[in-house]
Amino acid sequence: MPKKPLEQLENHHSFGGTQLKYRHDSAVLDCPMTFSLFLPDTHKFPHPPLLWWLSGLSSTDDNFTHKAGAQRTAAELGIAILIPDTSPRGEHVADDPEYDLGQGAGFYLDATEAPWSEHYQMYRYLTEELSDLIKQHFTFSGKEAISGHSMGGHGALVIGLKNPTRFSSISAFAPILSPSQVPWGIRAFTNYLGKVNQISWKNWDASELIQAVTYQVPILIHQGRQDPFLAEQLDPAYFLSKTAPDYPLTYHLVDGYDHSYYFVASFIEAHLRFHAQHF
């Protein structure tokens, strides 16, 4: 049966730009996938740079588009924002009853262990299939950056550090910085990558990748001091201890903020302006 073409699900005018939502059949993930895309005014910005946004555990692309409030500043700066879903989905896709594994929790890696390996190829989906798809249907400047929240912050750092000549900057809100060291990451990596060959875990851990960089991509990180997951699940101290002192990293631990999208909305403008400086 032939694959369905790109199907538009939503179209909303926003701050002079357009907030869009699409569905397509993914060959890499072997299931239908949705993604959202914000385009600034195409008359003013016919070839905008592209910011990728990766969402966190149990989220979809809607969490960012509905709650972050990014459209106003993106429209002003002329930045397009692409928001993929967080995992493959469907009745035939492997899942788990807990929110931190399975559907909604793809961890932006390529799984090697059954049953996950059949569908959970999020890294290849994003960096190859979805990347090619959007270039076929939309026109961008060729300049890209990447950002995300929580599990998506982990994904942004890993994808950005693995592709340093592609992304001009990386940013993250409350990222899982050291997944090999914390319960969320250990559970995901054990299932997706296997417990025996833990050497492969290093390929998907920002704390490991940051030590091996040969090309430094500027990074901005915001974390809330009142985040209930800060010490146990996010572990910024370990990541910071592994980052070279001369690395172009700006890290903010801000009082009063938690893990929610209220936190993301409070600093999304700063992140957009950070990326605009590096496009």
Side-chain angles (χ1 to χ4, degrees), residues 36-51:
S36 292
L37 175 67
F38 176 76
L39 294 175
D41 186 334
T42 54
H43 296 291
K44 292 182 180 179
F45 306 103
H47 306 291
L50 181 65
L51 174 66

Side-chain angles (χ1 to χ4, degrees), residues 46-250:
H47 306 291
L50 181 65
L51 174 66
W52 290 72
W53 172 270
L54 306 183
S55 300
L57 288 168
S58 76
S59 294
T60 69
D61 47 312
D62 289 340
N63 291 76
F64 180 80
T65 60
H66 294 180
K67 297 179 178 180
Q71 291 89 348
R72 182 193 294 271
T73 304
E76 174 198 336
L77 299 174
I79 297 174
I81 307 177
L82 177 65
I83 312 102
D85 200 354
T86 52
S87 78
R89 297 182 189 270
E91 293 183 1
H92 65 300
V93 175
D95 200 9
D96 187 273
E98 298 297 326
Y99 74 97
D100 58 351
L101 186 71
Q103 296 187 35
F107 271 81
Y108 303 104
L109 51 70
D110 288 344
T112 57
E113 299 297 301
W116 313 102
S117 56
E118 183 177 356
H119 299 284
Y120 286 76
Q121 304 292 314
M122 285 298 293
Y123 177 80
R124 188 157 58 95
Y125 167 68
L126 296 176
T127 59
E128 297 178 14
E129 185 179 27
L130 185 57
S131 294
D132 291 342
L133 180 68
I134 61 168
K135 290 174 184 176
Q136 293 171 16
H137 292 273
F138 306 97
T139 303
F140 302 110
S141 69
K143 298 177 180 179
E144 295 178 273
I146 192 164
S147 184
H149 172 234
S150 192
M151 178 188 71
H154 144 76
L157 286 160
V158 167
I159 293 173
L161 290 169
K162 288 169 77 73
N163 299 273
T165 59
R166 173 173 175 176
F167 297 101
S168 59
S169 51
I170 305 166
S171 76
F173 294 80
I176 304 172
L177 285 165
S178 308
S180 298
Q181 309 296 318
V182 302
W184 275 342
I186 291 170
R187 176 164 150 78
F189 285 7
T190 299
N191 280 272
Y192 294 143
L193 304 173
K195 188 175 183 178
V196 175
N197 183 21
Q198 293 189 13
I199 199 78
S200 67
W201 292 16
K202 294 183 178 183
N203 295 324
W204 308 103
D205 189 321
S207 293
E208 298 291 340
L209 295 172
I210 198 76
Q211 300 177 62
V213 294
T214 56
Y215 184 90
Q216 295 182 333
V217 182
I219 298 174
L220 172 65
I221 296 174
H222 273 82
Q223 289 190 311
R225 195 181 296 273
Q226 276 60 53
D227 190 326
F229 305 115
L230 183 61
E232 182 183 12
Q233 300 285 15
L234 308 182
D235 198 8
Y238 186 82
F239 173 81
L240 294 172
S241 73
K242 299 298 182 181
T243 305
D246 64 343
Y247 195 95
L249 166 67
T250 303

